[in-house]
Amino acid sequence: MGLSPGGSFRHPGVYQLPGLPRLSKGDAMTVITVSRQVGSHGGTIAARLAEEKGYQLYNKERFHREAEGFDGHFSREVEALTNESPPKLFEKLFHNHCVYGNIIAAMIYEAAAADHVVVVGRGGQFILEGLKCVLNVRVVSPVEERIRNYAGFKDIDIGMAGDIIKASDRERSSFIKYLHNRNIADPHVYDLTINTRVVTQDMAVRLIHDTAEEVNRLHPVTPEIKLEFRQMAICKRAELMLMMEMGESNAVKVSPGVSTSVVLNS
């Protein structure tokens, strides 16, 4: 990545970041994260929001493409994070938790630094939690409704759909618990919760878009905020490089420095 002399991060100090693209002015928009229950139409709503309102969609397929830029050393983690599945017990015991956290944080920060983005899943609501320029959305529906929706979408029987929905709920909950030690259903994390039992997809798209525009009016994404997102993304990638070079360790952290630099802390 070319962050330091000789490509080494072995010593504490300040390292220059590579040249960052110029930040656009006046084109930034509230970052939207969408957490969704399987069968709630949340993924479809996010995709329609992106297509109809001109947002970039960061969903499973986009994250998979972005993950290809990570070193093959982390192929297990990339696959798990792309599918929102927690690591198996063996990997928990022998592979560093920090690797998972840094890969997903790097991708989320890079997405947030882009213009007009909708981030679907991957715990983006927790990584960007507390930022007023971020709108965290949760799409839910009663389990019986979700089972019927999924059975119709996949053309399978209700019993099989029920098993898949329940397994997915457990897996996504475990994924967030492992990465962030949080409850994915915590209502305090979300600025807007939409229950699609009554709210249609058209209504949901309009509601999210209108809310995001109002949030952007009150709390605009400034060039400085976007630069911070980009710096944080590079810091997380630098930490991954350190893990490859020095062995997986939680003892070394990279933090943003002044302007286009990062600080390597021992």
Side-chain angles (χ1 to χ4, degrees), residues 17 102 105-107 109-110 127 225-239 254-256 262:
L17 299 177
N102 283 342
M107 291 195 290
Y109 282 125
E110 286 166 3
I127 293 171
I225 291 173
K226 291 181 69 175
L227 178 59
E228 289 180 18
F229 286 150
R230 295 180 188 212
Q231 285 183 316
M232 288 304 300
I234 292 175
C235 287
K236 295 303 178 183
R237 284 183 175 268
E239 288 178 9
V254 178
S255 56
V262 294

Side-chain angles (χ1 to χ4, degrees), residues 2-265:
L3 294 181
S4 61
S8 174
F9 290 91
R10 291 186 178 279
H11 304 289
V14 178
Y15 295 82
Q16 287 302 115
L17 299 177
L20 294 174
R22 287 185 175 274
L23 297 174
S24 59
K25 294 183 178 181
D27 193 34
M29 181 66 181
T30 297
V31 179
I32 301 172
T33 73
V34 177
S35 171
R36 72 281 181 238
Q37 293 179 318
V38 173
S40 67
H41 301 303
T44 302
I45 289 168
R48 285 190 53 186
L49 175 68
E51 181 178 358
E52 296 173 18
K53 304 300 182 181
Y55 286 85
Q56 296 186 65
L57 181 65
Y58 281 76
N59 58 1
K60 176 179 178 178
E61 290 74 23
R62 178 66 178 267
F63 277 115
H64 183 75
R65 293 197 302 270
E66 297 292 329
E68 291 177 351
F70 288 90
D71 191 275
H73 181 74
F74 304 121
S75 57
R76 289 180 300 174
E77 290 83 358
V78 166
E79 181 179 359
L81 291 169
T82 299
N83 294 315
E84 291 185 298
S85 59
K88 297 178 175 61
L89 178 60
F90 181 84
E91 293 176 356
K92 284 185 181 180
L93 292 174
F94 293 99
H95 223 58
N96 201 317
H97 167 278
C98 213
V99 172
Y100 288 86
N102 283 342
I103 291 175
I104 198 63
M107 291 195 290
I108 294 294
Y109 282 125
E110 286 166 3
D115 288 324
H116 292 74
V117 293
V118 178
V119 177
V120 182
R122 278 90 211 152
Q125 68 272 32
F126 296 104
I127 293 171
L128 302 175
E129 185 179 8
L131 297 173
K132 291 185 176 181
C133 62
V134 176
L135 176 66
N136 291 321
V137 178
R138 175 79 166 160
V139 182
V140 301
S141 193
V143 65
E144 296 84 3
E145 186 90 5
R146 294 192 289 128
I147 290 172
R148 285 194 296 270
N149 290 340
Y150 194 84
F153 177 69
K154 293 291 188 179
D155 193 23
I156 58 178
D157 64 65
I158 291 293
M160 181 180 295
D163 291 340
I164 293 172
I165 290 291
K166 291 171 186 176
S168 175
D169 286 350
R170 289 193 300 269
E171 193 162 81
R172 288 187 178 179
S173 178
S174 297
F175 174 82
I176 293 300
K177 183 69 175 178
Y178 175 76
L179 269 185
H180 306 288
N181 195 29
R182 300 289 296 277
N183 178 5
I184 194 173
D186 182 356
H188 300 96
V189 177
Y190 304 100
D191 308 298
L192 179 63
T193 299
I194 298 174
N195 189 331
T196 54
R197 182 182 65 85
V198 172
V199 176
T200 66
Q201 292 183 33
D202 288 343
M203 293 165 61
V205 169
R206 289 196 302 269
L207 181 58
I208 296 171
H209 177 256
D210 291 349
T211 304
E213 286 202 322
E214 186 64 17
V215 169
N216 192 61
R217 186 184 68 81
L218 295 172
H219 309 289
V221 180
T222 64
E224 291 75 22
I225 291 173
K226 291 181 69 175
L227 178 59
E228 289 180 18
F229 286 150
R230 295 180 188 212
Q231 285 183 316
M232 288 304 300
I234 292 175
C235 287
K236 295 303 178 183
R237 284 183 175 268
E239 288 178 9
L240 287 167
M241 293 178 69
L242 279 167
M243 292 175 191
M244 283 192 296
E245 190 170 330
M246 303 173 65
E248 293 163 8
S249 170
N250 290 310
V252 180
K253 291 292 181 182
V254 178
S255 56
V258 178
S259 184
T260 57
S261 66
V262 294
V263 179
L264 176 54
N265 305 305

